[in-house]
Amino acid sequence: MVDSISTSEEKQMFGHPKGLFYLFFAELWERFSFYGMRALLTLYMVQEIFKAISERDAATAVVYASYGSLVYASTVIGGRISDKILGMRSSIFLGGILMAIGHFVLAIENNTAFFLALAFIVVGNGFFKPNISTFVGALYKEGDVRKDSGFTIFYMGINIGGFVAPLLCGWLAAEYGWHYGFGLAGIGMLTGLIFFWSGIKKNIFGDKGLPPSKEVFEKKIAGVPQKTLIPIIAVLCVPLIAYILASYKSIAGGESFLGDETIVGLIFKLIGVAVVLYLGNILMKATSDERKKLFMAILITFFMTLFWGFHELSGSVITLFASRNVDLTLMNASQTNALNSMFIIILAIPISLLWAYLSKKNLNPRTPYKFGFGLILAGLSFYILSISGASADEKGMVPFAYLFIMYFVISIGELFMSPVGLSKITDLSPKRIVAFMMGIWFLSSAYAFQIVGFISKQLAVESTDANVGGLQTLAIYTDGFGLIAQYALGAGVLVLLFSPLMKKLMGNVH
Ligand code: GLN
C-alpha cells in the first residue's frame, strides 16, 4: 500500500521508495564485510598476531574491545560531519572506500598492516554506518506510516549480511587461509559501494543525501576545499588510531605508564565524564515534562549498553569458547558467529507481529518491561552456556546444542530491545537534541565494548600452548558465563521492579 503522503514522482517498489532497496543491498554488503571480518578477528589475533606471547587472550581482548569501541564511537563524528558539510552520499562513499581499503590491507600478512587495517575500518565505519541509517529515514516524509516497516526491512538486510558472511569468510579462512577470508570481506564492501553508486547513477535518490550547503562543501580552508580536506584528514587519522590500538603494554611486552589501563579506556572514561556533565546540564535546563522523558531516554540507552556489553561477547569470548570447548561438526568456530543474525532473520517479523497483535488487545508491554525482559533473556542465554559444562565429554567438549539455544534466546532479547529502543529515543528526546541523542545511542555500543574488554580479560587464559583448551578452559568459561548470567538476570529483575515507575516518567510514549 502506497501512503498518500509520498509524492507521485518518487519511484516505488513493493510499496516502499525504490531507494530503500539500493540502501538495503548497500548495507547488506557493508555488514557482510563487517561481520565476515569480525568472525575471524579474535581467532586471528589469538592464533596469529599474538601467538608468540602467553597473554595472547588478554591482548586480544584489549585490542578487540578498543577496536569495537572506536568503530562505534567514530559514527558520532561521521554523523556530525555529514550533517554539517559532506552530506550522506559523499560520507557513505568515503566511508565505504576506507572500509574496503581496511579489509584489503587485512589480507596482507603483517602485524603493522593489521593495526592499520583496523584503523581504516574504524574511520570508514564512522562515515558509512550512521549515514546509511539516516538515509533510510530520509526516504520517507515525516509521519509516513511506512517508515517503521522500512527500517525492519533494512534491519533484515543487515542481518542477511551478518548471517552469510561468517559462513563464507569462516569457510575460506579455514580452507585456504585467513587472508582469503579477509579478502572476501573487502570484495563484499566494494559490492555494497557498487549498489549504492548504481542507485545514484539511475537517479533513484532524487536530491536526497546531497551536501547541506554547496558553499560549505566547496569552502576552502588553507586553499583546500572542505570536500577534499575531510578525506585527507580522515586518512591522516588512520596511523594515529592504529598506534592507539597497538599500544597496549602486554602487546609490547613492556611496562606502560598507564598501568593496566589502555589509551582507549582512558579516552572513554574522559568522554563519559563529559557526556554525563553535558546531559546533566541539558536535564537541568529542560522543562519538567521534557526532563522526565529525557531521563528515560538516558536510562534506556544505559540498559542497551549493558545488553550489548553481554551480546558483543559473541565475537570474543564466545568465539574462543566455541573454538576450544564446543563440539563442532556442522560449522567451525568463526562460522558460529552467523547464528545470531540467522535467528534475527527468522524472528524479526514474528516478534513485530506479536507486538502488533498484543497492541490490538491492549496488552503490548511498555518499553521498560520489554527492556527488563530483554536483559533477563540475555541472562538466561548465559545461564544456558554456564550449565553446558555438566554435559561435557572427557576432553571438555560440550554439545553444540547449548550454543545454538544460547543464540536463539539472546536474539529474542535483542529484538525486545534494539529496534524498540531506537524508535523510543526519537520519541523521548526533545526535537532540538534528537540528533545528539542518536549519537549517544551509538555511543552505547561503543561503551558496550569496554564491558566486553573487561569481561574478556577476566576470562583470558594464559598459556604458551596454542591449542589450549579442554577441561583447562571449560571451567574458566562456564564459571564466567555463570557470573555474567547473574549480573544480567539481576539487572533485568531490577528494571522490571522499577518499570511501573519508569512507565510514569514516559508519559504518553509507549
Ligand atoms: N547488529 C546491529 C548492526 O550491525 C547492531 C549492532 C550494535 O549496535 N552493536 O547494525
Side-chain angles (χ1 to χ4, degrees):
M1 190 186 69
V2 179
D3 195 74
S4 57
I5 299 169
S6 63
T7 50
S8 51
E9 74 270 15
E10 224 170 49
K11 293 181 188 128
Q12 305 287 319
M13 210 168 135
F14 303 121
H16 280 273
K18 206 170 175 185
L20 178 67
F21 296 92
Y22 284 84
L23 298 182
F24 173 94
F25 283 109
E27 175 66 343
L28 186 160
W29 282 107
E30 183 269 336
R31 289 286 103 178
F32 176 97
S33 75
F34 187 84
Y35 284 115
M37 174 274 199
R38 195 195 78 159
L40 308 179
L41 187 57
T42 287
L43 292 175
Y44 178 63
M45 283 196 270
V46 168
Q47 293 170 13
E48 286 296 324
I49 300 286
F50 299 126
K51 66 175 173 212
I53 57 173
S54 63
E55 311 104 318
R56 60 170 80 84
D57 281 17
T60 298
V62 169
V63 176
Y64 182 83
S66 301
Y67 161 74
S69 288
L70 292 174
V71 98
Y72 278 103
S74 64
T75 58
V76 181
I77 303 170
R80 195 99 187 117
I81 294 177
S82 165
D83 283 348
K84 296 273 167 210
I85 309 165
L86 285 186
M88 294 178 282
R89 288 186 197 189
S90 310
S91 303
I92 291 170
F93 268 115
L94 173 61
I97 291 167
L98 292 173
M99 283 182 83
I101 295 176
H103 291 302
F104 289 125
V105 173
L106 260 180
I108 303 170
E109 265 176 80
N110 175 293
N111 284 15
T112 313
F114 173 75
F115 289 106
L116 279 174
L118 291 188
F120 267 112
I121 299 170
V122 163
V123 181
N125 191 64
F127 284 104
F128 193 100
K129 178 80 170 152
N131 291 305
I132 194 134
S133 323
T134 356
F135 211 144
V136 174
L139 295 177
Y140 302 89
K141 296 221 163 69
E142 212 177 306
D144 191 330
V145 289
R146 301 170 303 165
K147 195 168 169 174
D148 271 7
S149 59
F151 268 109
T152 309
I153 295 173
F154 186 69
Y155 208 66
M156 282 292 199
I158 289 179
N159 284 291
I160 294 173
F163 168 58
V164 180
L167 296 179
L168 287 181
C169 295
W171 169 73
L172 272 181
E175 283 295 313
Y176 300 97
W178 297 107
H179 303 286
Y180 289 91
F182 290 129
L184 182 65
I187 293 173
M189 185 63 249
L190 285 185
T191 314
L193 275 183
I194 292 170
F195 266 101
F196 187 61
W197 178 77
S198 71
I200 289 177
K201 278 277 149 235
K202 291 182 193 153
N203 199 21
I204 298 290
F205 305 115
D207 57 0
K208 296 192 172 100
L210 293 171
S213 135
K214 205 163 165 17
E215 288 84 70
V216 178
F217 191 62
E218 309 273 354
K219 188 178 150 197
K220 289 193 175 158
I221 294 180
V224 188
Q226 299 217 76
K227 62 175 180 189
T228 319
L229 194 63
I230 289 169
I232 294 174
I233 295 176
V235 172
L236 288 179
C237 286
V238 168
L240 178 72
I241 293 173
Y243 171 77
I244 291 175
L245 284 171
S247 62
Y248 177 60
K249 72 167 175 130
S250 71
I251 298 168
E255 280 301 311
S256 158
F257 70 96
L258 291 171
D260 258 354
E261 184 62 284
T262 60
I263 299 182
V264 177
L266 196 67
I267 294 173
F268 274 90
K269 286 196 179 77
L270 294 175
I271 298 176
V273 173
V275 168
V276 167
L277 289 177
Y278 192 71
L279 284 173
N281 186 32
I282 291 179
L283 279 176
M284 280 190 345
K285 283 190 188 148
T287 64
S288 129
D289 184 52
E290 276 180 353
R291 190 175 304 136
K292 286 184 201 150
K293 288 187 176 165
L294 202 55
F295 183 65
M296 269 314 296
I298 296 167
L299 272 187
I300 283 178
T301 311
F302 174 72
F303 300 147
M304 204 62 233
T305 308
L306 280 186
F307 180 83
W308 287 133
F310 304 131
H311 181 286
E312 293 285 357
L313 284 166
S314 53
S316 62
V317 171
I318 299 176
T319 302
L320 282 178
F321 172 68
S323 80
R324 291 166 176 169
N325 287 102
V326 179
D327 197 359
L328 298 169
T329 43
L330 287 173
M331 46 176 62
N332 65 37
S334 305
Q335 290 175 319
T336 60
N337 275 266
L339 294 172
N340 170 233
S341 283
M342 181 186 87
F343 284 121
I344 297 288
I345 296 168
I346 298 172
L347 297 168
I349 292 175
I351 289 189
S352 70
L353 289 177
L354 173 73
W355 300 146
Y357 171 78
L358 290 175
S359 268
K360 267 197 212 134
K361 305 201 152 228
N362 253 341
L363 286 173
N364 188 10
R366 292 190 65 170
T367 305
Y369 292 103
K370 285 184 185 148
F371 270 60
F373 284 124
L375 281 166
I376 287 180
L377 286 165
L380 211 59
S381 72
F382 278 93
Y383 176 72
I384 292 165
L385 282 191
S386 76
I387 56 169
S388 67
S391 314
D393 64 14
E394 71 286 355
K395 287 191 197 126
M397 303 302 262
V398 308
F400 175 62
Y402 284 97
L403 194 66
F404 192 78
I405 298 171
M406 179 268 172
Y407 272 117
F408 172 71
V409 175
I410 202 161
S411 303
I412 301 178
E414 179 179 341
L415 287 168
F416 271 42
M417 296 177 77
S418 174
V420 180
L422 190 62
S423 81
K424 295 306 149 194
I425 289 293
T426 47
D427 295 340
L428 289 167
S429 310
K431 278 250 166 336
R432 59 177 192 282
I433 56 156
V434 88
F436 170 74
M437 288 305 291
M438 281 312 258
I440 300 284
W441 178 257
F442 273 119
L443 264 188
S444 77
S445 292
Y447 275 96
F449 275 90
Q450 292 297 302
I451 301 178
V452 170
F454 175 77
I455 297 177
S456 307
K457 256 202 311 190
Q458 311 303 312
L459 303 189
V461 179
E462 218 174 286
S463 169
T464 46
D465 174 8
N467 300 315
V468 61
L471 293 169
Q472 210 185 330
T473 53
L474 182 66
I476 297 177
Y477 291 130
T478 47
D479 288 354
F481 294 149
L483 219 57
I484 296 168
Q486 282 177 27
Y487 280 113
L489 286 170
V493 170
L494 263 181
V495 174
L496 283 187
L497 282 177
F498 282 97
S499 285
L501 192 72
M502 291 193 260
K503 209 172 79 180
K504 282 200 189 111
L505 291 175
M506 292 180 72
N508 55 356
V509 178
H510 202 86

